[in-house]
Amino acid sequence: MTQTIEQQPGGLYVETPDRQKIAFPLKHTEVQAKVAGNISRVEVTQTFENPFTTTLEAVYIFPLPDEAAVDDMLIRIGDRTIKGSIKKRQEAQQIYEQAKQQGRTAGLLEQERDNIFTQSLANIKPGEEIDVIIRYSDSLKFEAGNYEFVFPMVVGPRYIPGTTIEGNTTGGGSAAAPMTLNQDTDLVPDASRLNAPILPSGTRSRHDINVNVEIDAGVAIRDVRSPSHQIQVTHEEQIVRVKLADGDTISNKDLILRYQVTGDRTQTTVLTQADEKGGHFAVYLIPAIAYQPNQKIGKDVVFLIDTSGSQAGAPLMQCQELMRRFINELNPDDTFSIIDFANTTQQLSPVPLANTPHNRSLAIQYINKLNAGGGTELLRGIRAVLNFPVTDPGRLRSIVLLTDGYIGNENQILAEVQRHLKSGNRLYSFGAGSSVNRFLLNRIAEIGRGISRIIRHDEPTDEVVEKFFRQINNPVLANINLQWEGDGESPTIYPSTPPDLFAEQPLVLFGRKQDCRAGKLHVTGVAAGGTRYQQTFNLNFQETGNPAIAQLWGRSRIKDLMNRMVSGDTKAGVEAVTDTALTYQLLSQYTAFVAVSDDVRVDPTDASVSVQVPVEMPEGVSYEGIFGNVAYNSAPAIARAASDPPEFLQRRKVNYSATVRPAPMSPSSPASAMESSDEFDITLINPGLMFEDDEQLQAPNPQRPGIPPARRSPGMSSVPRLQVISATGLDNSAIALLTQHLESIQLAAGVSGDLVFELQVSKGRVRQVVLDEQASSVKEQTVIEAIRRALLIWRPMPSITSTVVVTLRIQP
């Protein structure tokens, strides 16, 4: 049982009798998953309860699988269920805010990243419970007969680089507390929406989780196991049921469930479905190609290892163990080097080293001396490894990245790899930890034409390393081509460019044929040794198929479109993603689910409290590594005053995540009362890690790609000028301020032409910058990125809430 709200200087919390658990709105999460063959259907029920004596808004940042097709959201109040509607994101936010102000109970589900989501729930009555139900489909990861089901439970702390956008608050529909220090930046303009407050060490919330998974693979299932959790397994013919053991219900690590199936069906699976949107299909193919396990191919391997603070302790030790095994498993003719990064980069050698006993010994010594600390400046590491010298052009370069991926600027990293990874080179990713950023690790490997591997910080490494080298030594199918034979139009298939396959790696394709006419899909490629490979699939679309196939095609299309926009939003891309998401009722970064009660449930003039739900630190991640040498064990830690933070917290970002809003003053209230402040803040540890002395926060440098250059010096007549030609939605004074702001951008000589941007402006912030590619003649990405970042940090008048179309001209 909870007790009363405590209000102290700088703090608001509800104390439980044991003084170790903090009563916050999220009470319980229930997960029900059904796995049929290669596809899972998952229902997540989040139970929120108002433990306070006043009306509550709860805001919860949480993860889901990075390729989940989220297609349903409901809120349940007592015996009433309100179905959410998919809307354009801004429209959904407006509906939510209006409902909140009217006193209606409302839920808003938004996507921040492919694997990070925000659930906002407004106007929960004191003592009331409300359920939010989220449903999604996902495609299981598998190799040969080994399947893996993953349910992530907590978002790890994200490092935030870039130039601060001052005075920001959380955007969108979540009315969480002001982000005093965990601020948005030009590189991560939504940083304040990525990092939930983290409970101090030694305390935990009452939130627990229960997971039930039902597996029907169509064939016998064996060796059901979890490296992450204690589980209970029951068998009923070909159906297996798995649930978490009672003692393992803290939501601080990914649930990883693995099992094996037997039979020929593990080789090829074809699923079809038809509805009013057309015929959809999924192909799961593991080419039955013999390969030589002892085949040795001379490689040049460059290892890039993350030594930032979040890797401190068990994650770094696991990466070091991986690295030692990597070095010892290299082929005799391989060359190698090691680069490590945090705030800066270091390297074992300036050029690749031959695989000799002496050099291996040097490498092991180097690995053993690595220490974790500092920020995750992954961009530095990626640039260092992409530009690392090549001494033998005949060798295939393999880059192996080891990181937890705890960053907020994922797209900047993906864009760097997309632009600069040399043809023929490959990038592989390894994540070591309990709750790593699977979105980044999976996507960087896809763009890098490699494979990704996730290993817990406490798992054995020998089998993982052995399998990795077996695969990269034996690429089995390259130059994959898809051809359609049949009447009518050809299907649209994703991925649009199928990847090369490695030993035991599946080819997974999702397709749509709008006319639903049957035909044949030919998959061809070149196998190891130059042998031509072909497999043909007969596709007939039936309305009785699994509806998840259509949703997964829509999700695959959105993923493909988003991969094309890692350098920044474009008008055509945003419209295509939005249209697909609305057609297939899918959550995306440009759509959101909103549900609103018909009746007014609270008096909107009454006082209310808005709380951002705190989360556990991911298992195995060091508090000291994230926050430095600061003690967090004194009770009640949740109510720590913010008036005198230690020097470390003055430099790193802390989130004050709950605000009490008093009832509105009447016009007759005395002026002294109206001027008083009745805000109380919960001070929680927030991991929006940023260093004020980081190079990226210093004076901008026009020579560094993507960094807004400094103001032009007088007399630089050869440097092009940037002019605001028009700005629909702004008056003359606002245009003048924008023009003055953009004067700080210095452009390289030789660039000229027009750029057209659409800006979403509200509450004194530019919320989104979208490039109209068709209307723009400037194509240089570094110039576009510099202007985009300058626009993001422009501070328009708070009264401006509109879509602003800005036309800029660059001329000598």
Side-chain angles (χ1 to χ4, degrees), residues 665 668-678:
M665 297 288 183
S668 59
S669 300
S672 59
M674 296 185 68
E675 292 171 359
S676 66
S677 173
D678 277 334

Side-chain angles (χ1 to χ4, degrees), residues 187 412 419 705-706 780-790:
L187 287 178
Q412 188 185 26
R419 292 177 199 162
E780 288 82 356
Q781 282 299 319
T782 54
V783 173
I784 295 171
E785 186 176 350
I787 296 174
R788 188 191 298 273
R789 289 175 62 180

Side-chain angles (χ1 to χ4, degrees), residues 464-756:
V464 173
V465 173
E466 180 184 349
K467 183 175 183 179
F468 172 68
F469 276 107
R470 184 170 72 244
Q471 289 188 308
I472 69 171
N473 284 333
N474 295 278
V476 297
L477 192 61
N479 301 325
I480 297 175
N481 186 42
L482 308 175
Q483 292 182 322
W484 179 259
E485 178 186 346
D487 296 332
E489 62 181 15
S490 295
T492 303
I493 300 175
Y494 297 103
S496 52
T497 304
D500 293 348
L501 299 185
F502 299 89
E504 301 178 344
Q505 183 187 4
L507 175 65
V508 181
L509 303 171
F510 293 101
R512 176 195 181 209
K513 196 168 189 296
Q514 193 163 5
D515 60 15
C516 296
R517 301 177 71 175
K520 296 180 180 180
L521 177 65
H522 302 290
V523 179
T524 62
V526 178
T531 306
R532 187 174 185 273
Y533 172 88
Q534 177 172 329
Q535 182 144 348
T536 298
F537 300 95
N538 294 309
L539 296 175
N540 294 282
F541 302 99
Q542 300 184 13
E543 295 183 4
T544 56
N546 188 337
I549 301 302
Q551 303 303 87
L552 290 171
W553 179 87
R555 180 67 187 84
S556 297
R557 173 170 166 77
I558 289 172
K559 173 184 167 182
D560 186 87
L561 292 166
M562 293 300 292
N563 282 348
R564 301 180 196 180
M565 290 195 292
V566 291
S567 295
D569 289 349
T570 63
K571 184 177 181 180
V574 170
E575 290 176 352
V577 170
T578 303
D579 290 346
T580 303
L582 292 175
T583 300
Y584 285 83
Q585 300 285 289
L586 295 175
L587 198 60
S588 72
Q589 286 190 238
Y590 312 119
T591 53
F593 279 101
V594 62
V596 177
S597 67
D598 292 332
D599 56 328
V600 174
R601 305 188 67 249
V602 303
D603 186 341
T605 65
D606 286 348
S608 65
V609 60
S610 181
V611 174
Q612 189 170 2
V613 175
V615 301
E616 308 283 342
M617 178 70 83
E619 181 187 72
V621 176
S622 163
Y623 278 85
E624 185 175 338
I626 296 294
F627 302 112
N629 190 20
V630 181
Y632 296 113
N633 294 318
S634 57
I638 203 71
R640 183 171 288 105
S643 58
D644 187 25
E647 185 273 338
F648 180 83
L649 293 183
Q650 289 176 356
R651 291 182 51 192
R652 297 204 183 187
K653 306 310 168 186
V654 180
N655 176 33
Y656 308 105
S657 63
T659 308
V660 175
R661 187 178 72 239
M665 297 288 183
S666 67
S668 59
S669 300
S672 59
M674 296 185 68
E675 292 171 359
S676 66
S677 173
D678 277 334
E679 282 199 352
F680 299 89
D681 298 325
I682 296 177
T683 304
L684 290 162
I685 312 310
N686 189 285
L689 306 185
M690 293 171 26
F691 288 87
E692 296 297 347
D693 55 353
D694 190 290
E695 179 189 63
Q696 288 188 307
L697 298 186
Q698 293 176 2
N701 182 346
Q703 303 304 318
R704 282 177 58 88
I707 305 295
R711 184 178 298 274
R712 277 198 305 274
S713 300
M716 297 181 64
S717 58
S718 62
V719 177
R721 293 187 304 120
L722 181 62
Q723 290 182 291
V724 179
I725 301 301
S726 64
T728 60
L730 298 180
D731 59 23
N732 289 336
S733 61
I735 292 175
L737 290 173
L738 175 59
T739 301
Q740 182 181 8
H741 173 76
L742 293 178
E743 285 178 354
S744 64
I745 301 178
Q746 182 175 320
L747 302 168
V751 179
S752 63
D754 290 352
L755 285 167
V756 180

Side-chain angles (χ1 to χ4, degrees), residues 334-377:
D334 288 345
T335 57
F336 70 93
S337 190
I338 301 171
I339 300 173
D340 61 284
F341 71 93
N343 287 87
T344 60
T345 60
Q346 301 179 86
Q347 58 191 26
L348 169 65
S349 65
V351 293
L353 299 176
N355 185 16
T356 65
H358 175 71
N359 287 337
R360 286 198 300 273
S361 177
L362 288 177
I364 298 300
Q365 292 177 39
Y366 186 87
I367 293 165
N368 292 341
K369 292 179 181 178
L370 293 175
N371 290 306
T376 313
E377 290 290 344

Side-chain angles (χ1 to χ4, degrees), residues 111-115 158-159 161 186-190 194 378-379 382-383 405 407-420 437 439-441 443-444 447 558-570 574 589-590 768-769 781 785 788:
Q111 177 183 315
E112 317 300 343
R113 296 289 184 275
D114 284 21
N115 60 341
R158 300 302 198 251
Y159 174 80
D186 58 340
L187 287 178
V188 193
D190 59 350
L194 302 181
L378 179 54
L379 184 62
I382 288 294
R383 284 177 173 163
I407 60 170
N409 59 322
E410 292 100 330
N411 275 355
Q412 188 185 26
I413 307 303
L414 299 178
E416 193 76 12
V417 174
Q418 197 174 70
R419 292 177 199 162
H420 301 299
N437 185 353
F439 161 57
L440 174 66
L441 289 158
R443 207 69 81 247
I444 199 172
I447 291 175
I558 289 172
K559 173 184 167 182
D560 186 87
L561 292 166
M562 293 300 292
N563 282 348
R564 301 180 196 180
M565 290 195 292
V566 291
S567 295
D569 289 349
T570 63
V574 170
Q589 286 190 238
Y590 312 119
Q768 185 183 25
V769 177
Q781 282 299 319
E785 186 176 350
R788 188 191 298 273

